[in-house]
Amino acid sequence: KNEVEQSPQNLTAQEGEFITINCSYSVGISALHWLQQHPGGGIVSLFMLSSGKKKHGRLIATINIQEKHSSLHITASHPRDSAVYICAVLRNYGGSQGNLIFGKGTKLSVKP
Amino acid sequence: NAGVMQNPRHLVRRRGQEARLRCSPMKGHSHVYWYRQLPEEGLKFMVYLQKENIIDESGMPKERFSAEFPKEGPSILRIQQVVRGDSAAYFCASSRDNREVLEKLFFGSGTQLSVL
């Protein structure tokens, strides 16, 4: 079993819909990152969370440390949100700051 | 204000050849991280370097792979005697900080290595 699991693997939505992507992990962590990988392959860092909730524009990320779960929400989705969304965690023991464990990603497609 | 620059964007090698992947971090960043993304798999950490030092190489295969980040010039990921299984996208990221937990990583566009 992977240490970081994302669901769903694939998600198709209509423009304007509210989207939720989930990430569960099985290790103790110091931080959790949400990344966006564009169809061309480039990767952008969206959020780093260690507790609570963060918001940036139409994106909201939450984390529940006790339940070892994080969600990424997109409000009023748009076709340009189509990408692979990746969850990555930094273990709180061993390893260095860049030694992240990645989920396999959720491929989001937003139809106009 | 250039971001993280990786080159080449695509690299084709025959089995047994050497592959050299370059990464120039963002201006002012002295920490570099390399990750590999195999087909149909998630990203995997390979190595973390500061200028002239390897900090964490726990994700590097024991043989044929090496990395450096010299005082001058880009970071280099070197793969000797490539095999088909090395075909993957290799991403570099950089950061300014050496805090315990990074706020943000800045990624390059990746190098797609294809081994024939």
Side-chain angles (χ1 to χ4, degrees):
Chain A
K1 191 177 186 296
N2 293 332
E3 292 169 301
V4 179
E5 295 276 1
Q6 288 186 236
S7 64
Q9 273 188 295
N10 293 284
L11 181 55
T12 300
Q14 286 298 129
E15 184 173 355
E17 285 185 0
F18 180 84
I19 287 160
T20 296
I21 298 170
N22 297 298
C23 174
S24 296
Y25 51 91
S26 57
V27 295
I29 69 167
S30 302
L32 182 144
H33 292 259
W34 281 103
L35 310 170
Q36 180 191 52
Q37 186 168 24
H38 295 285
I43 298 172
V44 175
S45 180
L46 297 175
F47 294 105
M48 188 284 287
L49 296 159
S50 52
S51 65
K53 178 178 175 178
K54 285 188 177 178
K55 185 175 190 291
H56 186 259
R58 294 180 294 105
L59 300 177
I60 303 166
T62 64
I63 189 167
N64 185 318
I65 297 292
Q66 286 72 33
E67 293 188 4
K68 296 189 173 179
H69 181 268
S70 175
S71 292
L72 177 68
H73 306 285
I74 305 175
T75 60
S77 60
H78 190 276
R80 65 174 174 266
D81 297 326
S82 298
V84 176
Y85 292 84
I86 301 169
C87 170
V89 302
L90 180 66
R91 277 178 294 208
N92 60 5
Y93 61 92
S96 59
Q97 61 193 38
N99 194 336
L100 300 169
I101 307 170
F102 296 83
K104 289 191 174 182
T106 294
K107 186 174 181 180
L108 172 65
S109 178
V110 182
K111 306 291 185 192
Chain B
N1 191 13
V4 179
M5 304 299 291
Q6 287 189 251
N7 67 81
R9 191 80 171 86
H10 300 276
L11 182 61
V12 180
R13 285 287 178 266
R14 296 192 181 280
R15 280 181 297 169
Q17 290 184 320
E18 179 178 285
R20 284 189 175 230
L21 288 62
R22 293 175 189 76
C23 170
S24 296
M26 281 184 71
K27 189 175 179 181
H29 287 191
S30 58
H31 302 257
V32 165
Y33 317 83
W34 284 94
Y35 302 93
R36 177 164 69 171
Q37 188 173 38
L38 291 165
E40 307 303 320
E41 292 192 23
L43 287 153
K44 295 273 194 295
F45 168 79
M46 297 183 77
V47 63
Y48 161 31
L49 308 111
Q50 280 180 268
K51 285 281 187 184
E52 300 184 278
N53 286 306
I54 296 174
I55 306 300
D56 180 357
E57 57 181 351
S58 58
M60 287 277 270
K62 293 286 183 272
E63 295 177 352
R64 302 186 298 107
F65 285 72
S66 62
E68 63 176 6
F69 189 16
K71 189 176 179 182
E72 302 290 338
S75 175
I76 306 283
L77 179 68
R78 184 181 176 208
I79 311 172
Q80 295 178 289
Q81 299 173 345
V82 296
V83 300
R84 289 219 173 102
D86 297 332
S87 296
Y90 292 82
F91 289 93
C92 164
S94 73
S95 71
R96 185 197 308 273
D97 300 314
N98 62 352
R99 288 181 287 175
E100 193 174 321
V101 176
L102 290 170
E103 282 290 328
K104 193 165 185 173
L105 279 169
F106 295 86
F107 284 84
S109 298
T111 293
Q112 181 64 51
L113 172 64
S114 299
V115 179
L116 305 178

